[in-house]
PDB file of all heavy atoms in Angstrom:
ATOM      1  N   SER A 305       1.698   7.366   3.657  1.00 45.00           N
ATOM      2  CA  SER A 305       0.783   8.451   3.971  1.00 45.00           C
ATOM      3  C   SER A 305       0.837   9.539   2.937  1.00 45.00           C
ATOM      4  O   SER A 305       1.962   9.941   2.525  1.00 45.00           O
ATOM      5  CB  SER A 305       1.131   9.032   5.365  1.00 45.00           C
ATOM      6  OG  SER A 305       1.091   8.030   6.332  1.00 45.00           O
ATOM      7  N   PRO A 306      -0.299  10.064   2.489  1.00 44.00           N
ATOM      8  CA  PRO A 306      -0.266  11.115   1.485  1.00 44.00           C
ATOM      9  C   PRO A 306       0.341  12.398   2.049  1.00 44.00           C
ATOM     10  O   PRO A 306       0.190  12.726   3.214  1.00 44.00           O
ATOM     11  CB  PRO A 306      -1.764  11.315   1.189  1.00 44.00           C
ATOM     12  CG  PRO A 306      -2.468  10.826   2.355  1.00 44.00           C
ATOM     13  CD  PRO A 306      -1.640   9.740   2.892  1.00 44.00           C
ATOM     14  N   PRO A 307       1.070  13.097   1.200  1.00 44.00           N
ATOM     15  CA  PRO A 307       1.692  14.347   1.679  1.00 44.00           C
ATOM     16  C   PRO A 307       0.671  15.445   1.844  1.00 44.00           C
ATOM     17  O   PRO A 307      -0.393  15.426   1.231  1.00 44.00           O
ATOM     18  CB  PRO A 307       2.707  14.698   0.557  1.00 44.00           C
ATOM     19  CG  PRO A 307       2.094  14.080  -0.640  1.00 44.00           C
ATOM     20  CD  PRO A 307       1.394  12.823  -0.164  1.00 44.00           C
ATOM     21  N   HIS A 308       0.973  16.442   2.678  1.00 46.00           N
ATOM     22  CA  HIS A 308       0.045  17.548   2.884  1.00 46.00           C
ATOM     23  C   HIS A 308       0.756  18.829   2.431  1.00 46.00           C
ATOM     24  O   HIS A 308       1.441  19.498   3.162  1.00 46.00           O
ATOM     25  CB  HIS A 308      -0.324  17.667   4.345  1.00 46.00           C
ATOM     26  CG  HIS A 308      -0.998  16.424   4.876  1.00 46.00           C
ATOM     27  ND1 HIS A 308      -2.316  16.132   4.569  1.00 46.00           N
ATOM     28  CD2 HIS A 308      -0.551  15.402   5.663  1.00 46.00           C
ATOM     29  CE1 HIS A 308      -2.669  14.987   5.133  1.00 46.00           C
ATOM     30  NE2 HIS A 308      -1.588  14.514   5.800  1.00 46.00           N
ATOM     31  N   TYR A 309       0.580  19.120   1.139  1.00 44.00           N
ATOM     32  CA  TYR A 309       1.125  20.323   0.538  1.00 44.00           C
ATOM     33  C   TYR A 309       0.004  21.290   0.223  1.00 44.00           C
ATOM     34  O   TYR A 309      -1.103  20.857  -0.074  1.00 44.00           O
ATOM     35  CB  TYR A 309       1.903  20.044  -0.756  1.00 44.00           C
ATOM     36  CG  TYR A 309       3.194  19.273  -0.590  1.00 44.00           C
ATOM     37  CD1 TYR A 309       3.336  17.989  -1.017  1.00 44.00           C
ATOM     38  CD2 TYR A 309       4.287  19.907   0.013  1.00 44.00           C
ATOM     39  CE1 TYR A 309       4.517  17.276  -0.859  1.00 44.00           C
ATOM     40  CE2 TYR A 309       5.493  19.242   0.165  1.00 44.00           C
ATOM     41  CZ  TYR A 309       5.583  17.931  -0.258  1.00 44.00           C
ATOM     42  OH  TYR A 309       6.748  17.273  -0.118  1.00 44.00           O
ATOM     43  N   PRO A 310       0.308  22.587   0.198  1.00 46.00           N
ATOM     44  CA  PRO A 310      -0.716  23.516  -0.281  1.00 46.00           C
ATOM     45  C   PRO A 310      -0.888  23.326  -1.761  1.00 46.00           C
ATOM     46  O   PRO A 310       0.023  22.855  -2.460  1.00 46.00           O
ATOM     47  CB  PRO A 310      -0.118  24.897   0.018  1.00 46.00           C
ATOM     48  CG  PRO A 310       1.375  24.652   0.140  1.00 46.00           C
ATOM     49  CD  PRO A 310       1.545  23.266   0.703  1.00 46.00           C
ATOM     50  N   PRO A 311      -2.055  23.644  -2.358  1.00 48.00           N
ATOM     51  CA  PRO A 311      -2.232  23.474  -3.809  1.00 48.00           C
ATOM     52  C   PRO A 311      -1.321  24.364  -4.597  1.00 48.00           C
ATOM     53  O   PRO A 311      -0.922  25.414  -4.088  1.00 48.00           O
ATOM     54  CB  PRO A 311      -3.716  23.871  -3.995  1.00 48.00           C
ATOM     55  CG  PRO A 311      -4.007  24.724  -2.822  1.00 48.00           C
ATOM     56  CD  PRO A 311      -3.214  24.204  -1.667  1.00 48.00           C
ATOM     57  N   PRO A 312      -0.913  23.952  -5.796  1.00 46.00           N
ATOM     58  CA  PRO A 312      -0.049  24.795  -6.604  1.00 46.00           C
ATOM     59  C   PRO A 312      -0.691  26.148  -6.883  1.00 46.00           C
ATOM     60  O   PRO A 312      -1.944  26.266  -6.984  1.00 46.00           O
ATOM     61  CB  PRO A 312       0.104  24.002  -7.903  1.00 46.00           C
ATOM     62  CG  PRO A 312      -0.260  22.626  -7.536  1.00 46.00           C
ATOM     63  CD  PRO A 312      -1.263  22.673  -6.455  1.00 46.00           C
ATOM     64  N   ALA A 313       0.140  27.183  -6.974  1.00 46.00           N
ATOM     65  CA  ALA A 313      -0.406  28.502  -7.226  1.00 46.00           C
ATOM     66  C   ALA A 313      -1.093  28.558  -8.578  1.00 46.00           C
ATOM     67  O   ALA A 313      -2.082  29.250  -8.746  1.00 46.00           O
ATOM     68  CB  ALA A 313       0.757  29.506  -7.195  1.00 46.00           C
ATOM     69  N   ASP A 314      -0.561  27.803  -9.559  1.00 46.00           N
ATOM     70  CA  ASP A 314      -1.181  27.809 -10.897  1.00 46.00           C
ATOM     71  C   ASP A 314      -1.613  26.414 -11.214  1.00 46.00           C
ATOM     72  O   ASP A 314      -0.819  25.556 -11.574  1.00 46.00           O
ATOM     73  CB  ASP A 314      -0.175  28.309 -11.933  1.00 46.00           C
ATOM     74  CG  ASP A 314      -0.759  28.331 -13.361  1.00 46.00           C
ATOM     75  OD1 ASP A 314      -1.983  28.070 -13.480  1.00 46.00           O
ATOM     76  OD2 ASP A 314       0.016  28.591 -14.293  1.00 46.00           O
TER      77      ASP A 314
END
Side-chain angles (χ1 to χ4, degrees):
S305 302
H308 299 286
Y309 290 111
D314 180 6

